[in-house]
Amino acid sequence: MKLQRQELKDLMKHKMMQAGLHEDHAETTAEILTWSHERGYASHGAVRVEYYSERIFKGGITVDPKFTWTQTGPSTGIFDGDNGIGYVIAKEGMEKAIAMAKESGAAIVGMANMSHSGSIGYYTEMAAKEGLLAISFCQSDPMAIPYGGTEPFYGTNPISFAAPTADERTVVFDMATTVQAWGKILDKKSKHEPIPADWAVDEKGLPVTDPNLVNALVPIAGAKGYGLMMLVDVFSGVLLGVPYGKHVTSMYHDLSEPRQLGQMHIVIDPARFIGKEEFEKRMSACLDELGAVPAAEGYGKVYYPGERAVMRRDRYYATGGIDVVDELVDYLKGDAIHFDRYDHKNRFAE
Ligand code: NAI
């Protein structure tokens, strides 16, 4: 079914408010979920509302969090989110980082004690829209083997970076450090289809094509992706005093408990290097040159990171609205909230 942007956003906001989230936090969360969904990241859009609502209702997300901001140096600070909704904490953390980078040239802001914050490209894009460069990392629940291992240790630990240009284009790179998200494996399982051998491993840590035998996801590009996952966890977990690695809480384990996740934003003002205008001019030139690289057969053209997401968004609106599966729309529009779908499921719950 197709929904207009405002309609989808209002439905999500209303549902999370029914579960107990205050209006301002529900508004921010629904806005960021809409940003993801309209860019084609359906796995980080409306489908998440049912889970968040259950967690909000059960107390695993603090609805009246006491945020604490501690500036630890001219360019560093820690934002403690008191386990409120992750979207608001990551957004406020980025607002602090943007202000600090404008003041001192760079900012490194850690956010501790938060819940899931969704597509992290939203936050890096905020900085790029202010003419700044940004990187963000965050933890997620252990689902991936460390290279060569048999048991999950790290999460899908995403990395995003964003950069402005001299025109309307914004580079927003935003990826999980696992080859595939768990959602894609579930999709194959429901269709009784095999998965490619490089997506996941079984209990022995060996490649598996039967989705029913999956024990863990695998890092992108073997040992290299494993190193990137570790980087994310060191910067946003070990460094911030929140649980790290295999101690990170599972998304569906106990929805009445806080998740205590960590995230890190790093923001740089190009004015302190080559200068804002020159930087943006060079970025635009770079994207033009990338777009002019002849495409390999079957590829159409070379895209810059984030370009296709914006194209998906524009395509949605040119064709009457955002696609949301009917069942989800029924849930969002209905009176039922469902408080018994996710609690105590294992990490590979359907
Ligand atoms: P993806 O695989 O769809 O895209 C990864 C990156 O590659 C993007 O920056 C995209 O712009 C770029 N890209 C893809 N195809 C391209 C092409 N043909 N040419 C040029 N660039 C291209 O993303 P993935 O890894 O599936 O992640 C999806 C979302 O999930 C992200 O928003 C991420 O932040 C989010 N996520 C959040 C987690 C959390 O715990 N908060 C955990 C894991 C992922």
Side-chain angles (χ1 to χ4, degrees), residues 35-36 41 43-44 48 116-121 138-141 156-160 172-181 184 251 261 263 299 301-309 312:
W35 181 96
S36 305
Y41 290 130
S43 59
H44 286 73
R48 299 276 171 158
H116 191 245
S117 66
S119 273
I120 63 169
C138 80
Q139 298 179 301
S140 78
D141 37 333
T156 52
N157 294 5
I159 298 177
S160 174
V172 183
F173 176 74
D174 184 17
M175 67 152 203
T177 48
T178 43
V179 173
Q180 216 38 283
K184 303 257 176 67
M251 189 174 267
L261 297 175
Q263 183 156 352
Y299 281 82
K301 69 166 280 212
V302 172
Y303 298 96
Y304 61 86
E307 183 172 10
R308 287 155 54 95
R312 287 192 290 268

Side-chain angles (χ1 to χ4, degrees), residues 140-338:
S140 78
D141 37 333
M143 282 192 146
I145 44 158
Y147 184 67
T150 55
E151 285 173 10
F153 190 92
Y154 285 125
T156 52
N157 294 5
I159 298 177
S160 174
F161 95 85
T165 69
D167 49 74
E168 78 293 344
R169 295 172 294 182
T170 305
V171 174
V172 183
F173 176 74
D174 184 17
M175 67 152 203
T177 48
T178 43
V179 173
Q180 216 38 283
W182 174 241
K184 303 257 176 67
I185 294 174
L186 272 186
D187 185 44
K188 292 284 187 188
K189 197 170 164 181
S190 68
K191 293 175 183 157
H192 304 288
E193 291 175 6
I195 56 168
D198 63 346
W199 282 16
V201 290
D202 63 13
E203 284 192 344
K204 293 181 177 157
L206 299 175
V208 69
T209 54
D210 179 349
N212 298 297
L213 299 180
V214 169
N215 181 46
L217 305 178
V218 292
I220 50 169
K224 299 179 187 181
Y226 160 49
L228 289 175
M229 284 176 174
M230 185 178 188
L231 176 154
V232 170
D233 193 57
V234 170
F235 278 65
S236 57
V238 180
L239 183 64
L240 302 181
V242 292
Y244 64 87
K246 67 175 187 175
H247 308 289
V248 173
T249 53
S250 173
M251 189 174 267
Y252 304 135
H253 174 60
D254 184 345
L255 272 67
S256 66
E257 286 295 319
R259 291 211 60 204
Q260 300 177 279
L261 297 175
Q263 183 156 352
M264 169 71 80
H265 298 320
I266 300 175
V267 178
I268 296 170
D269 185 353
R272 307 293 179 124
F273 292 85
I274 197 173
K276 181 180 180 318
E277 275 181 26
E278 186 59 14
F279 175 75
E280 292 182 351
K281 226 167 67 189
R282 286 164 64 93
M283 281 303 301
S284 287
C286 177
L287 297 196
D288 292 344
E289 287 166 17
L290 283 168
V293 171
E297 200 179 319
Y299 281 82
K301 69 166 280 212
V302 172
Y303 298 96
Y304 61 86
E307 183 172 10
R308 287 155 54 95
V310 170
M311 286 166 61
R312 287 192 290 268
R313 180 199 63 190
D314 293 347
R315 199 175 316 125
Y316 270 148
Y317 294 113
T319 55
I322 311 175
D323 285 321
V324 188
V325 293
D326 292 353
E327 201 183 314
L328 204 47
V329 178
D330 290 345
Y331 164 71
L332 291 174
K333 287 189 171 170
D335 292 331
I337 308 186
H338 303 160

